[in-house]
């Protein structure tokens, strides 16, 4: 007889021997040794390919008590064997039937722990496969549990989500279609797993308007919150051509449905505005919970207001300004992140809230809320620091949209704030152009606009028409701001006659000349002289540099440039001189206009 066949018969015989021995024992008399022998023999049958014989033993009515107490020990070897066999293999089918039988026959508490342990021990590429394999038996067992059911459901969902979280979320169309690790499929399988428990909560709520058993409901809320943070926060949720049912869009719909069905969708949408948060003794844990919760709620807002999931559930009684107020915390959370998938959600959510509003309809009082100051500052950071050009452009467009929505006093306050905090000449230049537009509007409107004329405007011009460090200011680095300021001053001098002095600019001309025009002229002369000397020096040394093929570095605007040849350095220096010439030409025009207008008034008075 071949040795392999002999070993198999031994394994089956050993299993039968243990079964026969335990059949005559009372349940209470089973010993630890019996459990071990059963596990070893059962495992050997599985590993040697005799799952069919093991299935017969398990299905035998006489062995019901033995399987109830000992069967859960077979979960680990059973899972290993299922993954070992190919999809169409009969042995795999036998193993799957054994798993189903164990779910029906085993002690629910013991099997629950066995299944959970198996999920906890899996890692890497097998996580999704293992979870999907064990969801059905786990659900069967949980539905049988009488004690600590809510706790066990919560533990199961938490364990599953913790195992899935380290996996990368498919983002591109190709990645979603391939679903290499099975995450898309697994997430939707987990939602199906949770549905009977959702239905249980819903039924209990229908029976009594004062539903008191909150434990299961709270565990489902925790699951939804975790799902919103992962995978939905970083997932691609736009409709993709060629994908009939987008797996993450389907998953998002299911999560929204759960929250709606258990009556928590609307309360969660406004939880930030209510300022409610649970109290935790451990401050570090509290901070972590707050951050996780903030990410989840921000994602929920994105799903509701941008992707319009659960749109039918959402009441239409709220004003656009109130919805913006409620969403500003969520917008800030998303805009603080650096991942494109999350950052884009923040920009889309902000844009969506603003587009609901009429221009000039947002009252200045809203700027008293911290988020209304923080969010535009976050936009400025994206505009100036984000490496992705399309994100920078979109941030700029949304900042303009935000400005447009405020009333006149709101625009004025926002301009002051951004001028003081942006620390970026390009952004400051952009704000100054907006100020010019508002002054023009104020001069053409019939109604009084006190914020962009008179003493309010003079106060704003004190910020605009100044150099941060006087004549020592780096004119190259601040060229965008300086050009915008000069253009604004030129506009004011042309538009407003000294005799009318509608804007108040003529009253403060002396101050403007002292704080802005004079130091700017001195700074220009110093900067031009310095750069012209540098050019002369480079040209004199050019022959020597070319003969030795020297590559040098150059410092411009306080920043060290990449190593350059002398020719490249000269190009940069000439470009700087061109900028100074441009500033000087506008400065000369402004000074000329002031002189002409002042002389004209003096002539009239003489």
């Amino acid at each position: 007889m071949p040795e392999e066949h002999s070993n198999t018969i031994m394994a089956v015989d050993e299993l039968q021997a243990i079964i026969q021995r335990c059949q005559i024992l009372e349940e209470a008399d089973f010993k630890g040794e019996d459990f071990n022998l059963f596990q070893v023999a059962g495992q050997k049958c599985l590993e040697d390919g005799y799952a069919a014989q093991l299935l017969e033993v398990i299905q035998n009515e006489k062995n019901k008590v033995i399987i109830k107490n000992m069967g859960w020990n077979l979960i680990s070897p059973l899972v290993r064997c299922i993954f070992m066999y190919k999809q169409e293999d009969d042995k795999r089918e036998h193993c799957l039937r054994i798993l189903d039988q164990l779910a029906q026959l085993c002690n629910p508490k013991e099997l629950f722990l066995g299944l959970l342990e198996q999920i906890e021990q899996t890692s890497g590429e097998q996580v999704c496969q293992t979870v999907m394999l064990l969801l059905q038996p786990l659900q069967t067992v949980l539905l049988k549990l009488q004690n600590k059911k809510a706790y066990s459901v919560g533990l199961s969902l938490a364990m599953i989500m913790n195992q899935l979280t380290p996996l990368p979320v498919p983002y591109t169309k190709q990645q979603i279609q391939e679903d290499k690790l099975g995450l898309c499929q697994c997430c939707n399988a987990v939602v199906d797993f949770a549905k009977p428990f959702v239905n249980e909560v819903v039924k209990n709520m229908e029976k009594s308007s004062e539903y008191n058993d909150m434990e299961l409901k709270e565990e489902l809320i925790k699951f939804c919150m975790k799902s919103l943070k992962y995978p939905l926060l970083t997932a691609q949720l736009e409709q993709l051509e060629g994908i009939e049912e987008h797996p993450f869009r389907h998953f998002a719909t299911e999560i929204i449905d759960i929250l709606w069905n258990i009556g928590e969708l609307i309360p969660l949408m406004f939880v930030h505005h209510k300022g409610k948060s649970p109290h935790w003794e451990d401050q570090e844990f509290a901070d972590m919970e707050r951050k996780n919760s903030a990410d989840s709620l921000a994602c929920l807002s994105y799903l509701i207001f941008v992707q319009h999931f659960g749109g039918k559930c959402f009441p239409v009684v709220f004003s656009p300004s109130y919805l913006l107020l409620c969403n500003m915390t969520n917008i800030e959370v998303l805009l603080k992140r650096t991942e494109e998938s999350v950052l884009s959600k923040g920009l889309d959510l902000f844009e969506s809230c603003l587009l609901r509003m009429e221009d000039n309809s947002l009252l200045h009082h809203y700027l008293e809320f911290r988020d209304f100051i923080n969010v535009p500052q976050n936009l400025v950071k994206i505009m100036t620091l984000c490496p992705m050009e399309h994100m920078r452009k979109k941030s700029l467009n949304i900042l303009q949209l935000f400005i447009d929505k405020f009333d006149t006093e709101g625009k004025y306050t926002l301009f002051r704030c951004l001028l003081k905090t942006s620390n970026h000449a390009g952004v400051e230049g952009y704000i100054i152009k907006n100020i010019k537009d508002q002054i023009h509007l104020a001069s053409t409107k019939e109604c009084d606009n006190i914020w962009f004329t008179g003493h309010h405007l003079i106060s704003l011009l004190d910020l605009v028409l100044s150099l941060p460090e006087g004549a020592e200011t780096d004119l190259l680095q601040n060229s965008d701001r300086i050009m915008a300021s000069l253009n604004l001053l030129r506009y004011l001098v042309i538009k407003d006659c000294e005799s009318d002095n509608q804007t108040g600019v003529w009253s403060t001309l002396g101050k403007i000349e002292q704080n802005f025009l004079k130091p700017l002229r001195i700074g220009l002369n110093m900067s031009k002289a310095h750069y012209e000397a540098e050019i002369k020096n480079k040209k004199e040394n050019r022959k020597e540099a070319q003969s030795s093929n020297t590559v040098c570095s150059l410092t411009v605007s306080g920043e060290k440039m990449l190593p350059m040849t002398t020719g490249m350095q000269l190009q940069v220096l000439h470009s700087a001189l061109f900028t100074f010439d441009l500033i000087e030409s506008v400065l000369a025009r402004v000074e000329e206009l002031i002189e002409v207008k002042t002389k004209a008034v003096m002539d009239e008075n003489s």
Side-chain angles (χ1 to χ4, degrees), residues 169-171 228-236 299 337 339 341-342 345:
V169 179
Y171 191 72
L228 288 164
K229 183 174 170 65
Y230 176 93
L232 292 175
L233 184 63
T234 53
Q236 160 66 268
C299 184
R337 297 285 286 268
E339 310 95 312
S341 57
V342 183
K345 287 182 176 68

Side-chain angles (χ1 to χ4, degrees), residues 154-367:
L155 189 60
S156 302
L157 290 168
M159 178 72 71
I160 290 165
M161 294 309 291
N162 287 344
Q163 289 296 81
L164 295 179
T165 301
L167 301 179
V169 179
Y171 191 72
T172 65
K173 179 181 172 181
Q174 186 181 348
Q175 288 171 345
I176 291 169
Q177 285 175 321
E178 284 178 2
D179 195 18
K180 196 173 178 183
L181 297 177
L183 182 67
C184 300
Q185 191 182 350
C186 189
C187 287
N188 285 298
V190 175
V191 167
D192 290 337
F193 163 83
K195 280 181 180 176
F197 311 109
V198 175
N199 293 337
E200 187 176 322
V201 170
V202 172
K203 280 181 185 175
N204 288 331
M205 287 168 67
E206 286 170 354
K207 282 180 191 173
S208 168
S209 56
E210 294 180 14
Y211 175 55
N212 295 319
D213 184 12
M214 293 296 293
E215 286 185 25
L216 185 55
K217 186 177 181 180
E218 283 175 3
E219 296 299 344
L220 292 170
I221 294 169
K222 286 179 194 173
F223 163 65
C224 290
M225 294 291 275
K226 281 185 181 178
S227 300
L228 288 164
K229 183 174 170 65
Y230 176 93
L232 292 175
L233 184 63
T234 53
Q236 160 66 268
L237 291 164
E238 298 293 337
Q239 287 280 14
L240 295 173
E241 195 179 332
I243 298 181
E244 194 172 326
E245 186 167 42
H246 190 313
F248 288 128
R249 286 182 68 84
H250 180 263
F251 182 63
T253 304
E254 295 284 1
I255 294 298
I256 297 289
D257 283 349
I258 290 174
L259 289 171
W260 173 254
N261 288 332
I262 63 175
E264 289 298 320
L265 182 62
I266 303 301
L268 278 174
M269 289 303 304
F270 298 101
V271 72
H272 277 318
H273 196 51
K274 288 177 183 173
K276 289 183 179 178
S277 59
H279 175 73
W280 302 100
E281 294 295 329
D282 186 332
Q283 188 56 45
E284 194 175 330
F285 181 75
D287 292 342
M288 183 65 73
E289 277 295 299
R290 201 175 294 113
K291 185 187 180 306
N292 288 337
S293 171
D295 287 342
S296 301
L297 294 171
C299 184
L300 181 62
S301 276
Y302 170 80
L303 294 176
I304 297 285
F305 293 106
V306 179
Q307 293 299 334
H308 308 295
F309 291 116
K312 292 176 183 175
C313 315
F314 203 78
V316 288
V317 296
F318 303 113
S319 70
S321 53
Y322 179 73
L323 290 178
L324 177 65
L325 174 62
C326 293
N327 271 311
M328 283 302 264
T329 300
N330 298 321
I331 292 163
E332 186 184 2
V333 166
L334 296 171
L335 293 186
K336 278 183 174 177
R337 297 285 286 268
T338 54
E339 310 95 312
E340 182 183 0
S341 57
V342 183
L343 198 52
S344 63
K345 287 182 176 68
L347 293 174
D348 288 344
L349 179 57
F350 196 15
E351 184 179 44
S352 172
C353 290
L354 292 173
L355 289 173
R356 295 165 188 265
M357 305 182 69
E358 297 287 331
D359 285 355
N360 309 307
S361 66
L362 192 59
L363 300 175
H364 60 275
H365 304 298
Y366 281 91
L367 286 167

